[in-house]
Amino acid sequence: TPQTAATPEPGDDHRDDATPPVWARRPGLRVDWHRATMAHLESVYPFHADEGFGERGPYLGVNVTGGMGGFWFDPFELYGSGLLTNPNCLVIGEVGSGKSALVKAFLGRSLAVYGHRRFIAILDPKGEYQPFAQAHGLPVIRLHPGGTDRLNPMEPRPGEDAANVVARQGLAAGLVTGVLGRSLDATEAALLGWAVATLARTGRPFTLTDVTATVADPADELVSLSRRSPLELAQAATPVVFALDKLCTRTLAGMFDGDTTVDIDWDDGAGFVIDLSAVYNDREALPLVMLAATSWLSAVLQRASDRRVIQVIDEAWAAVRHGARHFQGSLKLARTYGVSTWLICHRPADLTAQADDGTADAKIAAGLLSDIQTRIVFRQPADQVPIAAELLGLTERETRWIGQLVKGRALWRLQHRGAVVHNVLTATELAQFDTDTAMIA
């Protein structure tokens, strides 16, 4: 911009009252002149002079704090280069901040870049991934009471090992605990664990219905072990039997109460979507359904393959309510089976608020945050900013950022490094990912 008056040298306080120089006309704080090289500035402001994370993976947008350069991301590529030591991701942001659009863009572009080398599994509680599934040829498994699609959460992982039994015992205990609203006592836990172990020893597939029947009719060896009469043991098992019956005949009826009826193309398919929108508004049933669905996913995805798996769990708070232990175990197995799990929720506190403070489950839920090295933080409400900063270990500058981010812009924390990235969408993606149609049509 042309100037009518020359800018004075540092320390020159001369001012023409008739024609003040340009620098003096603008309101603001006067600071001392400072001269430095980029090497100096990079050491003083490391957050604003980021060199980027490389160019391997799908292009996602621009690195706002890295000179507006391009931003590429793939957890498996960064794991291979040593920038990450686990591939799991946490995506948080208030409604309308752009987190779903980012996840869908990443999934679609991953399929475009890597093709057959990627496999996608999406747990969709709200039914919002159907347009994405249609656009990318992903079959949709629709689970609802009385439906034809059914998944058996008691299916073992491929291979024979003791962890198969332990995982299914933990799932059964988590489901029953969720129904009863309390922890199992020693006798109840022993009955349930014994029933699952007994059925597993047969070598045949079994379902939650089979578990119910086995608990209701304990074998003589268990009666002898418990040092109780058959009537006393049956009375002790009554709460567990009623809880399992409720799961099989009401809460999970038609969804998880029988053998699996869907056929997944593991070799050549791009992936699948599990639609749970039929129970989304049932706050009692949703966490139980989410636990059963994620357990089934965990079992079937833990298989030897040269394909890398991206597992998306939307509304992750519901899956953690009764399944924090399950999630902790599955996240730790991510590297073994090449699975990147993406947990999506509104606030980081959603994951830690699902259990009473001080309990083991509460500590496990809080530990999930430390087990996830990639945190993608979209705009947070003002009252949640301090909580997010504490739970995620944000710096003072990063804390200020997350309260004022515009739509589509997020703070990315990859282990000990950070960047503010603005997601860039194509016109086709904008139309496909729009979740506000009902409000603006």
Side-chain angles (χ1 to χ4, degrees):
T1 303
Q3 299 182 359
T4 58
T7 302
E9 293 296 326
D12 184 359
D13 293 329
H14 171 73
R15 178 181 301 177
D16 186 348
D17 294 336
T19 309
V22 174
W23 63 270
R25 299 179 206 165
R26 298 176 181 175
L29 178 67
R30 289 190 61 186
V31 297
D32 293 335
W33 286 66
H34 179 74
R35 183 173 295 171
T37 66
M38 287 303 296
H40 292 117
L41 289 176
E42 187 175 61
S43 65
V44 176
Y45 303 105
F47 189 69
H48 284 275
D50 195 282
E51 62 183 4
F53 301 92
E55 299 179 2
R56 298 180 66 87
Y59 169 79
L60 293 180
V62 293
N63 188 338
V64 178
T65 52
M68 300 301 287
F71 183 82
W72 293 261
F73 179 78
D74 180 76
F76 303 108
E77 296 280 9
L78 293 178
Y79 181 87
S81 64
L83 288 176
L84 295 175
T85 56
N86 77 60
N88 303 309
C89 302
L90 172 68
V91 184
I92 60 174
E94 63 181 359
V95 176
S97 59
K99 58 184 182 297
S100 294
L102 168 69
V103 174
K104 293 171 186 174
F106 168 72
L107 295 175
R109 297 176 191 184
S110 293
L111 291 175
V113 171
Y114 297 102
H116 183 266
R117 289 178 289 168
R118 293 292 183 267
F119 187 89
I120 294 174
I122 303 172
L123 192 58
D124 181 16
K126 294 177 288 191
E128 67 173 70
Y129 282 84
Q130 293 191 34
F132 175 87
Q134 184 177 6
H136 294 87
L138 273 63
V140 178
I141 301 171
R142 293 180 173 84
L143 299 181
H144 58 88
T148 57
D149 290 345
R150 186 177 293 109
L151 305 176
N152 178 15
M154 288 288 114
E155 285 184 5
R157 295 195 301 264
E160 293 295 333
D161 59 71
N164 270 327
V165 177
V166 174
R168 286 180 285 179
Q169 288 173 327
L171 169 60
L175 290 171
V176 173
T177 297
V179 174
L180 296 178
R182 61 170 176 80
S183 300
L184 302 181
D185 63 33
T187 302
E188 293 169 339
L191 280 167
L192 194 55
W194 173 86
V196 173
T198 299
L199 291 168
R201 281 197 297 269
T202 66
R204 298 189 300 271
F206 62 92
T207 67
L208 282 172
T209 302
D210 298 323
V211 176
T212 305
T214 306
V215 173
D217 186 20
D220 293 339
E221 60 180 280
L222 188 61
V223 175
S224 176
L225 181 65
S226 67
R227 295 186 178 183
R228 298 188 182 189
S229 68
L231 178 59
E232 290 173 336
L233 192 59
Q235 290 175 338
T238 298
V240 177
V241 173
F242 284 166
L244 287 169
D245 180 71
K246 180 181 179 181
L247 289 170
C248 295
T249 61
R250 283 177 284 174
T251 308
L252 305 183
M255 296 181 284
F256 302 99
D257 57 340
D259 295 324
T260 299
T261 61
V262 299
D263 187 19
I264 304 297
D265 185 357
W266 300 107
D267 297 324
D268 299 315
F272 57 89
V273 176
I274 302 178
D275 183 354
L276 300 177
S277 57
V279 296
Y280 177 65
N281 292 320
D282 189 336
R283 292 307 189 192
E284 178 184 353
L286 180 63
L288 297 171
V289 172
M290 290 282 284
L291 174 57
T294 54
S295 296
W296 180 84
L297 267 177
S298 177
V300 299
L301 292 178
Q302 292 178 17
R303 59 182 63 234
S305 173
D306 59 350
R307 307 180 71 183
R308 298 294 174 262
V309 178
I310 303 169
Q311 177 185 213
V312 176
I313 310 294
D314 205 347
E315 299 292 335
W317 66 268
V320 171
R321 173 169 290 183
H322 304 310
R325 295 175 185 273
H326 155 71
F327 259 113
Q328 186 182 51
S330 63
L331 290 178
K332 292 183 182 299
L333 289 171
R335 292 178 297 175
T336 304
Y337 297 99
V339 179
S340 173
T341 299
W342 289 55
L343 302 181
I344 306 174
C345 56
H346 297 299
R347 300 171 296 272
D350 289 343
L351 298 179
T352 60
Q354 304 307 315
D356 295 333
D357 290 340
T359 64
D361 286 341
K363 294 177 181 178
I364 291 173
L368 289 175
L369 296 177
S370 61
D371 290 338
I372 300 176
Q373 290 183 337
T374 302
R375 293 94 174 264
I376 307 169
V377 187
F378 285 84
R379 184 179 62 245
Q380 291 288 295
D383 62 327
Q384 293 297 315
V385 169
I387 301 174
E390 180 182 358
L391 291 175
L392 301 178
L394 304 182
T395 66
E396 182 180 350
R397 182 177 293 275
E398 291 169 340
T399 302
R400 290 199 300 267
W401 269 108
I402 64 173
Q404 58 189 15
L405 294 168
V406 299
K407 182 176 181 179
R409 188 169 295 184
L411 169 67
W412 286 63
R413 285 291 304 271
L414 279 69
Q415 203 161 0
H416 303 299
R417 298 178 58 188
V420 174
V421 179
H422 192 89
N423 186 26
V424 176
L425 303 175
T426 66
T428 301
E429 288 174 331
L430 282 170
Q432 185 185 109
F433 302 161
D434 183 18
T435 56
D436 294 329
T437 302
M439 295 296 295
I440 64 178

